[in-house]
Amino acid sequence: MAQLEHLTERTPQVSVDELLQGFFPSPRFGSVSFDSYRPDPAQPSQAKAVGAMRTFAADVDTPEPSALRKFFGGKKPETKAGFYLDGGFGVGKTHLLASLWHAVEGPKAFGTFVEYTNLVGALSFRKTVEALSAYNLVCIDEFELDDPGDTVLMSRLMRELADAGVKLAATSNTLPGSLGEGRFAAVDFQREIQVLADQFDVVRIDGEDYRHRGLPESPQPVSDGELESRMEAEFSGRTVAVDDFSELINHLSQVHPSRYRQLIDGVDAVAWHNVQTITEQSVALRFVVLADRLYDKDVPILASGVPFDQLFTKEMMAGGYMKKYFRAVSRLTALAREGQTGEAS
């Protein structure tokens, strides 16, 4: 028998230390390494990227010479403050970025672009700088170029961290609709981080193009009448968060997105009654964060209502935040397949 919980009854209170403790690779990348990455022999840039990141990791771990060593000519090799891994979807950038995090010693942080902007929202900009300045390495996965305000915020944060001696590493993707215009985002990234651009080594990694894969087909939702019986059959003995979808999205507005990781703590699966198309942008963007956290923890989903490929409006899927929505639909669909068929996500 499943143990039932309700996300709508959870309002996690999280300290600064607890927020920062959440900045590590998700369980999907909890044990990856440079050795476990398998470069495609047909794409030599992949092996080159691994070698460049190994070198960067070694530099992060090389301490600055002491005053005495400096006097006698000891000198740390000069390297840039940042490393930017540039490539399309599905070429292993997150695997490599997580491998870098695992390879480096000392205090370090790993999170998505959205998680860092949410951290600033929760703590304030100055407190975020103070907290992260004590780290040796800050990794930013999926650096997003679709929100000018957040991009300027992150550019300023990275600049202050670099000035404090923190090493930075980032990845990003082009928008799905922009892939025909040029697959890589390095030029956009360098333009957006402005004065930091010349402090980053940009390494390109080629691979399979996202546009050739498309979105996975969403499984047919279960009927609302059979949701609970399916839940018992699929998730017996596990902790399941069962919520009405409209109540859940309303509740998310009462919980800061930086706490969504804690919101789903201890949850093995979720079941949603009556999923509906989200029509408000602010609601949709919050829900994207929840989708990312569920995917990070590999939480399977059972749901009634509309299929996940209808979760966002057509205008949203073609608008400025389309990358976020494509990612969310893809991830939620994978979790729904896992929940309904046991197919690994």
Side-chain angles (χ1 to χ4, degrees), residues 20-35:
L20 292 171
Q21 287 168 8
F23 278 77
F24 56 86
S26 73
R28 292 176 179 274
F29 300 99
S31 59
V32 297
S33 67
F34 293 132
D35 289 336

Side-chain angles (χ1 to χ4, degrees), residues 246-266:
S246 61
E247 293 178 3
L248 174 62
I249 60 176
N250 287 335
H251 182 65
L252 291 181
S253 67
Q254 307 302 314
V255 180
H256 194 276
S258 64
R259 299 174 181 172
Y260 287 3
R261 189 189 299 270
Q262 288 76 21
L263 180 69
I264 62 172
D265 270 354

Side-chain angles (χ1 to χ4, degrees), residues 124-192:
S124 81
F125 181 85
R126 185 49 48 200
K127 288 184 178 179
T128 301
V129 171
E130 290 173 0
L132 295 180
S133 291
Y135 287 51
N136 294 342
L137 172 70
V138 168
C139 296
I140 306 166
D141 197 24
E142 298 176 347
F143 195 100
E144 298 185 0
L145 302 166
D146 52 9
D147 188 310
D150 283 346
T151 304
V152 170
L153 173 72
M154 283 299 296
S155 177
R156 182 183 167 204
L157 176 64
M158 292 164 70
R159 183 172 66 248
E160 297 214 16
L161 293 178
D163 289 344
V166 179
K167 292 291 187 179
L168 305 167
T171 72
S172 75
N173 293 312
T174 54
L175 291 169
S178 302
L179 289 173
E181 303 165 17
R183 290 174 53 198
F184 300 102
V187 173
D188 293 333
F189 177 80
Q190 289 174 306
R191 181 185 67 244
E192 296 298 344

Side-chain angles (χ1 to χ4, degrees), residues 43-54:
Q43 303 289 351
S45 64
Q46 294 186 7
K48 289 181 181 178
V50 174
M53 294 195 80
R54 286 185 188 274

Side-chain angles (χ1 to χ4, degrees), residues 251-322:
H251 182 65
L252 291 181
S253 67
Q254 307 302 314
V255 180
H256 194 276
S258 64
R259 299 174 181 172
Y260 287 3
R261 189 189 299 270
Q262 288 76 21
L263 180 69
I264 62 172
D265 270 354
V267 171
D268 300 317
V270 297
W272 294 332
H273 289 276
N274 301 313
V275 172
Q276 302 168 12
T277 300
I278 299 173
T279 58
E280 294 183 41
Q281 192 95 266
S282 60
V283 175
L285 291 173
R286 279 195 296 269
F287 200 79
V288 166
V289 179
L290 180 64
D292 286 340
R293 300 293 78 77
L294 290 170
Y295 187 77
D296 285 346
K297 296 188 71 174
D298 196 15
V299 178
I301 298 172
L302 279 175
S304 65
V306 303
F308 287 126
D309 57 9
Q310 298 176 31
L311 183 61
F312 307 110
T313 66
K314 292 181 180 179
E315 292 76 17
M316 289 179 182
M317 295 297 287
Y321 295 112
M322 63 185 294

Side-chain angles (χ1 to χ4, degrees), residues 315-332:
E315 292 76 17
M316 289 179 182
M317 295 297 287
Y321 295 112
M322 63 185 294
K323 175 194 161 187
K324 297 177 191 286
Y325 299 137
F326 268 78
R327 184 181 73 231
V329 169
S330 179
R331 291 180 169 184
L332 290 168

Side-chain angles (χ1 to χ4, degrees), residues 7 16 56 63 72 83 108 112 136 155 164 181 242 246 259 272:
L7 296 183
V16 173
F56 186 76
F72 286 105
F83 189 100
K108 52 197 174 180
T112 63
N136 294 342
S155 177
E181 303 165 17
V242 185
S246 61
R259 299 174 181 172
W272 294 332

